[in-house]
Amino acid sequence: MLLTALTSQLHAQQGDTIPKIDTLETESQLRTGKIEPYWLTITYDKTTHIIFPSKIKYVDLGSDNLIAGKADEAENVLRIKASVQDFDTETNFSVITEDGRFYSFDVFYSRYPATLNYDVEKMLQAKMKDKVNNVLFEDLGQTNRPSLIDAAMKTIYNKNKKYIRHIGSYSFGISFLLKSIYINNGKYFFHTEVKNITSVPFPIDFMSFKIVDKKTARRTAVQENDLIPIRLYLPLTDVPDGGSERNVFLLDQFTLADDKILVIEIFERNGGRHQKIEVENTDLIHARPVTDLKLIF
């Protein structure tokens, strides 16, 4: 059964023409932009897991023969299995991830699949000529390719350069640093680091970015303008005792009036070791262009 389905798929991919029963027999011009699907086998009694390089934004299943969903507490892991036993027709599913990549999969049923778990990033690294299919997201704007955003965040994180040395806070054995600010096509990249030199772990509750009045000690909701990061390179994680955690945050471009500052705060869950740093307009306008980086794709 599986061999017959695979043979049919091969013939379909080689032909890629409109069936003769239709009114037209010419090849579709869309063939030049064809996205080759990957194929895999699934079964009824076992779950297949696919690990993607980035968070999953969208999943579409080709038929009711499949059931799928993101794994609990893992935004980049897809669980998929057959909802009925021994289905004999080929089906498919598609996935869009936060880095803008589009993946297409052809699916066949097997009682004994050879593989149950797949790592997409390892596969992409092995296929050096693999083409990147970018999907544009509204929050990134129509001119920002998600693959470029992802590459910039990855490069900033991996190179780990510190060229800002005057912005940071330290208290209760916790330090919070702003290491660099980059800018590209209307987007800021803020590279931060939290260090914990104590023997007590630092569980992070949340971080906030706010524009506030520079001279106002007691701030109110009216005097604050919350900025929501568009992307985080990594999920916020607890900082272990004696350890450190870094991250890159993507925000829309903005500037500050003379009487305003940007306040970045990090809050401890069930604790009081909160940290706060302040960024002025001079720091923003001296942000380094992403073109200074040799991007890692």
Side-chain angles (χ1 to χ4, degrees), residues 7 29 43 76 82 90 112 147-148 155 159 162-163 177 180 195 205 210 214 262 287:
T7 303
Q29 294 182 8
T43 192
N76 68 322
E90 173 191 342
Y112 310 102
S147 59
L148 177 61
T155 304
K159 290 193 173 182
K162 181 181 179 181
Y163 71 86
L177 307 173
S180 63
K195 291 183 178 180
D205 191 7
K210 297 179 181 180
K214 186 183 295 186
L262 171 67

Short mmCIF file of all heavy atoms in Angstrom, two decimals, residues 7 29 43 76 82 90 112 147-148 155 159 162-163 177 180 195 205 210 214 262 287:
data_model
loop_
_atom_site.label_atom_id
_atom_site.label_comp_id
_atom_site.label_asym_id
_atom_site.label_seq_id
_atom_site.Cartn_x
_atom_site.Cartn_y
_atom_site.Cartn_z
N THR A 7 4.67 5.59 -5.31
CA THR A 7 4.81 5.58 -6.77
C THR A 7 3.88 6.60 -7.40
O THR A 7 4.27 7.34 -8.31
CB THR A 7 4.51 4.17 -7.32
OG1 THR A 7 5.38 3.23 -6.70
CG2 THR A 7 4.70 4.14 -8.83
N GLN A 29 2.23 27.89 -14.78
CA GLN A 29 3.40 28.76 -14.62
C GLN A 29 3.88 28.81 -13.18
O GLN A 29 5.00 29.21 -12.90
CB GLN A 29 3.05 30.17 -15.11
CG GLN A 29 2.78 30.26 -16.60
CD GLN A 29 2.49 31.68 -17.05
OE1 GLN A 29 2.62 32.62 -16.27
NE2 GLN A 29 2.09 31.83 -18.29
N THR A 43 1.43 6.71 12.14
CA THR A 43 0.63 5.55 12.50
C THR A 43 -0.41 5.95 13.53
O THR A 43 -0.46 7.10 13.98
CB THR A 43 1.52 4.41 13.02
OG1 THR A 43 0.77 3.21 13.09
CG2 THR A 43 2.14 4.76 14.37
N ASN A 76 7.76 25.05 19.52
CA ASN A 76 8.35 24.68 18.23
C ASN A 76 8.27 23.19 17.95
O ASN A 76 8.93 22.69 17.05
CB ASN A 76 9.82 25.14 18.17
CG ASN A 76 10.71 24.37 19.14
OD1 ASN A 76 10.29 24.06 20.26
ND2 ASN A 76 11.92 24.07 18.73
N ALA A 82 -2.14 9.55 13.23
CA ALA A 82 -3.34 9.21 12.46
C ALA A 82 -4.54 9.15 13.40
O ALA A 82 -4.46 8.63 14.51
CB ALA A 82 -3.14 7.86 11.77
N GLU A 90 -3.24 9.18 0.35
CA GLU A 90 -2.22 10.16 0.73
C GLU A 90 -2.90 11.44 1.21
O GLU A 90 -3.92 11.85 0.67
CB GLU A 90 -1.33 10.46 -0.47
CG GLU A 90 -0.33 11.60 -0.25
CD GLU A 90 0.35 12.03 -1.55
OE1 GLU A 90 0.30 11.26 -2.52
OE2 GLU A 90 0.90 13.14 -1.57
N TYR A 112 4.12 0.38 10.78
CA TYR A 112 5.43 0.34 11.44
C TYR A 112 6.34 1.42 10.85
O TYR A 112 7.25 1.11 10.08
CB TYR A 112 6.06 -1.05 11.29
CG TYR A 112 5.14 -2.18 11.67
CD1 TYR A 112 4.50 -2.93 10.68
CD2 TYR A 112 4.89 -2.48 13.00
CE1 TYR A 112 3.65 -3.97 11.02
CE2 TYR A 112 4.03 -3.51 13.36
CZ TYR A 112 3.41 -4.25 12.37
OH TYR A 112 2.56 -5.27 12.71
N SER A 147 13.17 35.75 7.59
CA SER A 147 14.47 35.07 7.64
C SER A 147 15.59 36.03 7.97
O SER A 147 16.56 35.66 8.65
CB SER A 147 14.75 34.36 6.31
OG SER A 147 14.74 35.28 5.23
N LEU A 148 15.51 37.29 7.49
CA LEU A 148 16.52 38.29 7.81
C LEU A 148 16.43 38.68 9.28
O LEU A 148 17.46 38.83 9.96
CB LEU A 148 16.34 39.52 6.93
CG LEU A 148 17.30 40.69 7.20
CD1 LEU A 148 18.75 40.24 6.98
CD2 LEU A 148 16.98 41.88 6.32
N THR A 155 22.56 36.18 14.91
CA THR A 155 23.93 36.68 14.83
C THR A 155 24.28 37.54 16.04
O THR A 155 25.37 37.41 16.61
CB THR A 155 24.13 37.49 13.54
OG1 THR A 155 23.79 36.67 12.41
CG2 THR A 155 25.57 37.95 13.40
N LYS A 159 27.27 36.24 18.43
CA LYS A 159 28.52 37.03 18.49
C LYS A 159 28.71 37.64 19.87
O LYS A 159 29.85 37.90 20.29
CB LYS A 159 28.51 38.10 17.40
CG LYS A 159 28.65 37.51 16.00
CD LYS A 159 28.95 38.57 14.96
CE LYS A 159 29.25 37.93 13.61
NZ LYS A 159 29.59 38.93 12.57
N LYS A 162 29.63 43.34 23.26
CA LYS A 162 29.19 44.36 24.21
C LYS A 162 29.84 45.68 23.84
O LYS A 162 31.04 45.86 24.02
CB LYS A 162 29.57 43.96 25.64
CG LYS A 162 29.11 44.98 26.68
CD LYS A 162 29.53 44.56 28.08
CE LYS A 162 29.09 45.60 29.10
NZ LYS A 162 29.50 45.23 30.48
N TYR A 163 29.04 46.59 23.30
CA TYR A 163 29.61 47.91 23.02
C TYR A 163 28.91 49.01 23.82
O TYR A 163 29.31 50.17 23.75
CB TYR A 163 29.56 48.21 21.51
CG TYR A 163 28.20 48.49 20.93
CD1 TYR A 163 27.65 49.78 20.97
CD2 TYR A 163 27.46 47.50 20.31
CE1 TYR A 163 26.42 50.05 20.42
CE2 TYR A 163 26.22 47.76 19.76
CZ TYR A 163 25.71 49.04 19.82
OH TYR A 163 24.47 49.30 19.28
N LEU A 177 22.09 43.89 32.27
CA LEU A 177 22.87 44.72 31.36
C LEU A 177 22.20 44.85 30.00
O LEU A 177 21.61 43.89 29.50
CB LEU A 177 24.27 44.12 31.16
CG LEU A 177 25.09 43.81 32.42
CD1 LEU A 177 26.36 43.06 32.02
CD2 LEU A 177 25.42 45.07 33.18
N SER A 180 23.90 45.81 23.74
CA SER A 180 23.98 46.46 22.43
C SER A 180 22.58 46.78 21.93
O SER A 180 21.58 46.19 22.37
CB SER A 180 24.70 45.57 21.41
OG SER A 180 23.99 44.37 21.21
N LYS A 195 22.78 38.29 34.95
CA LYS A 195 23.74 37.42 35.64
C LYS A 195 23.31 37.26 37.09
O LYS A 195 22.83 38.21 37.73
CB LYS A 195 25.15 38.03 35.59
CG LYS A 195 25.78 38.04 34.21
CD LYS A 195 27.20 38.59 34.27
CE LYS A 195 27.87 38.56 32.91
NZ LYS A 195 29.25 39.08 32.95
N ASP A 205 9.73 36.48 36.08
CA ASP A 205 8.28 36.55 35.90
C ASP A 205 7.94 37.19 34.55
O ASP A 205 7.29 36.58 33.71
CB ASP A 205 7.65 37.35 37.05
CG ASP A 205 6.13 37.23 37.05
OD1 ASP A 205 5.59 36.44 36.25
OD2 ASP A 205 5.48 37.92 37.85
N LYS A 210 9.04 50.48 28.82
CA LYS A 210 8.13 51.61 28.99
C LYS A 210 8.84 52.93 28.71
O LYS A 210 10.00 53.12 29.09
CB LYS A 210 7.56 51.65 30.41
CG LYS A 210 6.72 50.46 30.80
CD LYS A 210 6.23 50.58 32.23
CE LYS A 210 5.39 49.38 32.63
NZ LYS A 210 4.91 49.49 34.04
N LYS A 214 11.21 61.59 32.40
CA LYS A 214 12.54 61.49 32.98
C LYS A 214 12.58 61.98 34.42
O LYS A 214 13.26 61.40 35.28
CB LYS A 214 13.54 62.28 32.13
CG LYS A 214 14.98 62.13 32.57
CD LYS A 214 15.90 63.00 31.71
CE LYS A 214 15.92 62.56 30.27
NZ LYS A 214 16.93 63.31 29.46
N LEU A 262 13.55 55.56 28.17
CA LEU A 262 13.04 54.20 28.07
C LEU A 262 13.49 53.43 29.30
O LEU A 262 14.68 53.36 29.59
CB LEU A 262 13.56 53.52 26.80
CG LEU A 262 13.26 52.02 26.67
CD1 LEU A 262 11.77 51.77 26.50
CD2 LEU A 262 14.05 51.40 25.52
N ALA A 287 22.33 53.57 17.74
CA ALA A 287 22.18 52.14 17.48
C ALA A 287 22.98 51.76 16.23
O ALA A 287 23.04 52.51 15.26
CB ALA A 287 20.71 51.80 17.29
#
